Amino acid sequence: MRSSRLKSVVAALGAACLVAISASGASAADKVKFTLDWKFEGNAAPFLLAQDKGYFAAEGLDVTIDSGNGSAGAVTRVASGAYDIGMADINSLVEFDASNPDRSLKAFFIVYDAPPFALFTFKKSGITKPKDFEGKTLGAPVFDAPRKLFPAFARATGIATGAVKWESMDPPLREPMLVRGQVDAISGFYFTSLLNLKAQGVKLDDLVIFKFADYGMAFYGNGLIASPALMQNNPDVLKRFSRAVIKGWREAIKDPAAAIEAIKKRDPLIDPALERERLDMVLKDNVLTAEVKANGMGGIKKDRMAKSIEQLSDAFSLPKAPTVDDVFTDAFLPSKADRMLQ
């Protein structure tokens, strides 16, 4: 009887120890604050899916995902230490580093291998080629990435310096101002402005669209940036974060309906059909490029990045061009096999 009672006590103590160990393991997850570059829309779905499917948790990460207010804002959030990792335009990162050498940041993962930068106008405007923008008024928010990069586009296409006037407005007014004829053209992300114009009743056949990538622009698009403190003090977090992100994109490709549901959980007012179309556009035009299909997601080609930096230096009139290693590190990328999306 005493032996039986002793066994029960030992078993109870063992169970308690297991619970304690489990609780300790759960609390040991590394907390990561992650900021998106924009709202909870189709292009953000893979990150949210990685969270909902437990991919971050499986890597020992407790990730908080917040919506953003633009790439420049995401860069500032990470630079200030308010966030550990951010989704931001790589070119905005270069501009920030040039102005803030004491707080410079680095990207460690490319999300948009092909940039979504574009200019939109109506066929009735008479603008059919880049030189036709001379003497016209273009509109965009001041922090808009393609607006900031317009000088590089102008140099590559022969548009005279200072020949274009810019009108600034808040993001929700950009497409309506084009529709109302208050500006001749707008700049924006292809998958954002095109769908916003569609929601305004505009037909694709009525538009002329200039994608920067079609005019010799070597730019990469958005990627993941991290605080220097995290890179230096806990680099394994970035490796685990990268693995989970890739799984999220892989899952979004396999099950886009689930990806859209992940957005709807955060914002019940979204239009699921519209966000599905946005996700499909991002996958087709920006993520699943020939380069990514061949070598996996996340990395760069050094010669292309070097050319991109050269074009950026001209666009931003940088006193000194950064090196590729100043802008990007591949130290936290998974193996090529683990970075394949399909």
Side-chain angles (χ1 to χ4, degrees):
M1 190 74 171
R2 184 179 299 173
S3 174
S4 175
R5 197 178 300 122
L6 182 61
K7 287 179 180 177
S8 297
V9 171
V10 170
L13 286 172
C17 287
L18 286 174
V19 170
I21 290 170
S22 175
S24 173
S27 64
D30 290 298
K31 293 184 179 296
V32 175
K33 289 195 68 179
F34 174 50
T35 177
L36 296 168
D37 58 324
W38 198 237
K39 298 178 285 188
F40 292 131
E41 295 181 337
N43 48 306
F47 299 106
L48 305 178
L49 200 55
Q51 187 177 51
D52 291 353
K53 290 285 185 178
Y55 298 148
F56 288 125
E59 293 287 354
L61 301 175
D62 179 6
V63 178
T64 300
I65 303 177
D66 289 336
S67 60
N69 57 2
S71 279
V75 173
T76 303
R77 283 179 170 186
V78 174
S80 70
Y83 286 81
D84 304 299
I85 299 174
M87 169 77 161
D89 169 43
I90 302 303
N91 311 293
S92 297
L93 168 73
V94 173
E95 183 185 29
F96 177 88
D97 286 356
S99 302
N100 302 272
D102 57 325
R103 295 192 293 155
S104 62
L105 301 170
K106 235 179 236 193
F108 66 94
F109 189 102
I110 297 295
V111 178
Y112 299 155
D113 183 66
F117 313 141
L119 303 171
F120 300 79
T121 187
F122 284 106
K123 287 180 179 177
K124 63 185 180 183
S125 71
I127 299 173
T128 60
K129 58 186 184 297
K131 282 287 284 182
D132 294 336
F133 283 111
E134 294 183 359
K136 303 295 185 181
T137 299
L138 278 69
V142 293
F143 55 78
D144 179 67
R147 172 178 174 170
K148 285 175 171 287
L149 295 172
F150 183 81
F153 176 84
R155 182 184 290 268
T157 56
I159 298 173
T161 303
V164 169
K165 178 185 175 183
W166 282 94
E167 183 82 19
S168 300
M169 74 283 291
D170 290 333
L173 298 178
R174 172 174 28 200
E175 290 79 19
M177 286 183 69
L178 177 63
V179 172
R180 291 196 295 264
Q182 293 173 279
V183 292
D184 299 303
I186 59 173
S187 66
F189 276 22
Y190 181 75
F191 56 76
T192 298
S193 287
L194 182 59
L195 293 183
N196 287 348
L197 287 167
K198 182 179 177 180
Q200 293 271 319
V202 175
K203 296 178 181 178
L204 181 61
D205 288 344
D206 293 333
L207 295 170
V208 181
I209 303 172
F210 300 82
K211 292 183 180 180
F212 282 24
D214 294 336
Y215 290 87
M217 304 286 94
F219 302 131
Y220 284 94
N222 287 34
L224 301 179
I225 64 176
S227 68
L230 185 58
M231 282 191 172
Q232 183 176 347
N233 301 328
N234 206 345
D236 191 57
V237 164
L238 298 181
K239 294 179 182 179
R240 288 182 275 145
F241 191 90
S242 297
R243 285 197 296 265
V245 164
I246 291 167
K247 290 177 182 176
W249 281 91
R250 196 180 292 150
E251 186 68 21
I253 293 168
K254 186 175 73 174
D255 190 357
I260 301 308
E261 278 302 311
I263 307 172
K264 197 170 181 180
K265 280 177 59 177
R266 278 80 176 180
D267 183 358
L269 299 180
I270 67 162
D271 178 342
L274 182 71
E275 297 312 326
R276 170 64 187 272
E277 187 175 0
R278 194 189 313 275
L279 175 60
D280 289 344
M281 289 172 66
V282 170
L283 290 171
K284 176 179 176 291
D285 297 331
N286 310 114
V287 175
L288 290 174
T289 63
E291 172 66 21
V292 169
K293 288 178 180 178
N295 296 302
M297 187 182 197
I300 64 165
K301 295 182 73 173
K302 286 201 169 186
D303 57 344
R304 177 184 164 190
M305 181 64 85
K307 183 179 179 183
S308 169
I309 290 172
E310 181 183 341
Q311 292 173 334
L312 281 171
S313 297
D314 284 341
F316 296 147
S317 300
L318 300 182
K320 180 183 177 183
T323 67
V324 172
D325 290 338
D326 290 333
V327 175
F328 183 85
T329 175
D330 62 4
F332 312 108
L333 289 178
S335 67
K336 176 180 174 180
D338 289 337
R339 291 190 287 116
M340 303 306 290
L341 291 179
Q342 294 178 314

